[in-house]
Amino acid sequence: MSYKAKFKVWRGEGGEGRLEDFTVEVNEGEVVLDIIHRLQATQAPDLAVRWNCKAGKCGSCSMEINGKPRLGCMTRMSTFEEDETITVTPMRTFPVIKDLVTDVSFNYEKARQIPSFTPPADVRPGEYRMQQVDVERSQEFRKCIECFMCNNVCHVIRDHEENKPAFAGPRFLMRIAELDMHPYDVADRQEAAQEEHGLGYCNITKCCTEVCPEHIKITDNALIPMKERVVDRKYDPLVWLGNKIFRRPKS
Amino acid sequence: MTQTTPDASARRQRAQVKVRTLRADRWWLAPLLTFLGLSSFLVYGVWAILDGSYYVPSAEYIAPFASPCLATSCPEGARFLGLAPFGDWYTLPPGLLILGLPGGFRLTCYYYRKSYYRSFWLSPAACAVQEPHGKYTGETRFPLIIQNVHRYFFYLALVIGAILAYDAVLALVHTPLGLGSWILLLNAVLIFGYTLGCHSCRHITAGRLNHFSRHPLRYRAWTFVSKLNAKHQPLAWASMYSVMGADLYVRLVAKGIIAFPYA
């Protein structure tokens, strides 16, 4: 069964642009990205959209569909009413290059600011021995496809662009948590999470978790545990005293 | 050859969408319901603290909002372990003495923070809905940095939970067929479910460790707490309404409004 759907798509270069109206054919089983491609093929050959795998695994086609951050390739047209007008805009937090394509280099800059995995000096590659239970918490975070929808939806930078220098966003705070929980990582990440990467800005409203296409429990399993580790380190006098008295090693 | 786009100032701008959100669903419904739910709890709490009918001597029921009763104004049977550490000088409602403990636990709870930041402070009201504030510093500075005290309220909430369980057992021993006894027991179970599923509890059991395999008992505790933690939101609401319901029930029995057999 096919029908004609009404679309409003953001067109423009840089920040300047407007929503353009289109009426376009939709066939059974299609997703929003298919419709964007049909627009390119039939009505707007210069419409820019970033895409790659069409399988929800590359994280390229992040966009906002009816105001919600979604992957274009994973948003089925059958989830909309046939008479509904579907609005497609680029991710709001990042600068627009053209149409639906945004410049996500903010994320790569933040990634570079996080020190990489730091094993103990006396353990050589090939000597790591880890139990599955010790690494499975971190493995959840490795499912991230870097679609950057969590950073896009986070109001800390979405609504307050001035916070961008101080806040790494959920994706990279999760990366810090991943490394901090790693049994063989010895870098001091807790102080930096709070002071350099802005963990304190997070008010745990869980939008990052809501939009994650990989269903990673970013807030509950990464950000809040990291906040609790920071409390251990900076704000809990009893933990501080216990560490002093018992000279606890990192466990 | 690599082709580059000129780095004009317009290129560095985000899309200038002039509306607060393009969401077409009823995004306002969840924060509205949360606002009404939390407000009803606050209004009830104020009334309950000022209400004097919190003890049913014939059935040994004590309203959760007034337990532990520590003032000399408490009826003798209502006093926790018969103690009244606060002397005659204390004349305010006894519930005020302990209100801050469960109140502080819920106020600093990670779930409740999400709910009131969204529904009361609109920061943000819903995902991808622009917040109305011009500036945002989150929990980086005073007063919100105090939220980091949550784990201390968790310790105190455990004590309060144990006291509510003790009250329920006492009521069950005295009035095993009383509906109120079972309501108090259900409330204690839900309170424990909520308290033990707290994110701080999860951290304290083993979340702070990097080698679960070296601490198998703590890992098992963490696994159990993690299961409760996954239900923290529903348990927060269930326990909030159970404590309100149990409290109201005891007060209505104490006032004689509920007077059927086995009440």
Side-chain angles (χ1 to χ4, degrees):
Chain A
M1 279 278 286
S2 64
Y3 68 96
K4 299 280 185 192
K6 290 194 268 305
F7 267 70
K8 282 181 181 291
V9 181
W10 181 266
R11 302 297 311 274
E13 291 194 29
E16 291 154 15
R18 67 194 181 285
L19 288 168
E20 261 181 37
D21 292 309
F22 295 95
T23 302
V24 58
E25 183 184 320
V26 174
N27 299 312
E28 195 171 347
E30 288 184 326
V31 294
V32 170
L33 185 61
D34 292 325
I35 309 307
I36 298 295
H37 283 157
R38 181 162 298 126
L39 282 178
Q40 277 183 328
T42 58
Q43 302 178 49
D46 61 338
L47 173 63
V49 58
R50 185 184 282 129
W51 66 282
N52 194 353
C53 74
K54 290 186 79 176
K57 287 293 164 199
C58 73
S60 301
C61 62
S62 304
M63 53 183 75
E64 301 199 359
I65 300 167
N66 279 353
K68 284 184 182 174
R70 308 286 298 267
L71 291 179
C73 70
M74 298 302 285
T75 307
R76 289 184 171 277
M77 286 302 298
S78 58
T79 57
F80 304 105
E81 300 294 331
E82 290 191 4
D83 58 351
E84 192 175 345
T85 301
I86 300 162
T87 309
V88 184
T89 50
M91 287 194 285
R92 193 148 171 170
T93 302
F94 308 120
V96 174
I97 297 173
K98 186 175 187 310
D99 301 334
L100 301 178
V101 178
T102 51
D103 176 358
V104 292
S105 52
F106 163 82
N107 300 287
Y108 302 123
E109 286 157 21
K110 291 296 175 185
R112 276 195 291 273
Q113 290 166 11
I114 298 168
S116 57
F117 173 62
T118 312
D122 56 343
V123 178
R124 287 178 300 173
E127 291 182 348
Y128 303 154
R129 297 292 179 271
M130 289 170 273
Q131 300 285 322
Q132 177 59 30
V133 290
D134 293 337
V135 289
E136 62 194 3
R137 262 191 309 179
S138 298
Q139 282 176 338
E140 180 190 6
F141 312 141
R142 303 289 292 187
K143 291 194 300 180
C144 176
I145 58 172
E146 300 218 310
C147 61
F148 303 126
M149 287 201 293
C150 56
N151 277 7
N152 170 51
V153 80
C154 182
H155 70 112
V156 177
I157 47 179
R158 183 184 177 94
D159 297 340
H160 302 279
E161 207 163 4
E162 70 278 7
N163 287 336
K164 275 186 172 176
F167 185 63
R171 196 280 166 258
F172 298 105
L173 292 170
M174 180 174 78
R175 170 72 177 150
I176 294 169
E178 175 195 331
L179 291 167
D180 198 58
M181 290 172 185
H182 195 289
Y184 271 101
D185 188 85
V186 294
D188 179 5
R189 303 188 183 271
Q190 292 159 12
E191 184 84 21
Q194 187 79 350
E195 301 303 331
E196 294 168 31
H197 303 291
L199 182 61
Y201 282 88
C202 170
N203 69 346
I204 41 151
T205 40
K206 288 198 176 180
C207 287
C208 49
T209 305
E210 274 187 33
V211 302
C212 179
E214 284 293 310
H215 308 293
I216 303 171
K217 299 275 183 284
I218 303 173
T219 321
D220 283 322
N221 290 348
L223 304 189
I224 295 175
M226 203 60 213
K227 273 179 175 266
E228 285 293 316
R229 285 169 178 237
V230 168
V231 175
D232 275 354
R233 179 64 179 273
K234 288 178 69 79
Y235 305 116
D236 188 336
L238 286 183
V239 172
W240 176 83
L241 198 62
N243 287 341
K244 288 282 177 205
I245 294 171
F246 301 112
R247 296 178 182 277
R248 288 181 186 137
K250 196 175 178 187
S251 56
Chain B
M1 197 177 89
T2 309
Q3 192 178 358
T4 56
T5 313
D7 198 19
S9 61
R11 185 179 173 271
R12 292 195 297 270
Q13 279 186 9
R14 50 173 75 187
Q16 301 299 300
V17 180
K18 301 295 181 198
V19 293
R20 193 175 165 210
T21 183
L22 288 167
R23 281 183 65 165
D25 59 335
R26 288 186 293 172
W27 56 264
W28 44 267
L29 187 60
L32 176 66
L33 292 176
T34 308
F35 177 84
L36 293 174
L38 295 180
S39 298
S40 69
F41 184 69
L42 291 176
V43 169
Y44 178 81
V46 170
W47 173 78
I49 290 296
L50 300 174
D51 179 61
S53 315
Y54 52 80
Y55 181 57
V56 183
S58 58
E60 289 273 1
Y61 296 163
I62 180 162
F65 274 55
S67 180
C69 212
L70 300 171
T72 38
S73 62
C74 301
E76 202 142 309
R79 293 176 187 174
F80 180 64
L81 300 175
L83 302 170
F86 289 83
D88 291 333
W89 59 270
Y90 184 81
T91 52
L92 294 171
L96 272 179
L97 290 170
I98 46 101
L99 171 73
L101 309 185
F105 181 55
R106 288 188 188 250
L107 194 69
T108 57
C109 160
Y110 286 98
Y111 166 66
Y112 280 102
R113 274 145 78 177
K114 172 201 164 188
S115 63
Y116 63 74
Y117 285 143
R118 281 196 183 199
S119 60
F120 282 75
W121 195 239
L122 310 178
S123 180
C127 302
V129 175
Q130 191 173 18
E131 60 172 89
H133 311 290
K135 195 173 174 228
Y136 175 86
T137 54
E139 297 178 347
T140 57
R141 57 182 67 174
F142 184 81
L144 293 182
I145 201 167
I146 294 175
Q147 304 278 28
N148 289 310
V149 78
H150 182 54
R151 62 181 59 176
Y152 285 94
F153 279 116
F154 161 70
Y155 301 135
L156 296 168
L158 273 182
V159 176
I160 295 291
I163 290 170
L164 293 183
Y166 171 78
D167 289 343
V169 170
L170 214 61
L172 269 171
V173 168
H174 195 266
T175 323
L177 296 179
L179 177 61
S181 304
W182 292 96
I183 289 176
L184 289 175
L185 183 68
L186 175 69
N187 175 50
V189 169
L190 289 170
I191 292 278
F192 261 112
Y194 165 65
T195 307
L196 292 176
C198 149
H199 291 84
S200 286
C201 178
R202 193 177 180 218
H203 175 75
I204 292 160
T205 47
R208 66 188 302 274
L209 306 175
N210 286 350
H211 289 92
F212 284 158
S213 55
R214 291 182 194 163
H215 307 270
L217 285 179
R218 289 182 70 179
Y219 174 62
R220 285 186 69 175
W222 180 84
T223 309
F224 171 72
V225 170
S226 295
K227 283 180 185 159
L228 283 177
N229 182 259
K231 307 267 181 234
H232 203 43
Q233 174 173 337
L235 281 168
W237 283 101
S239 63
M240 193 177 89
Y241 276 98
S242 77
V243 77
M244 207 154 70
D247 190 89
L248 181 64
Y249 183 86
V250 171
R251 287 173 198 274
L252 293 179
V253 173
K255 288 174 195 295
I257 296 171
I258 292 179
F260 55 82
Y262 304 113

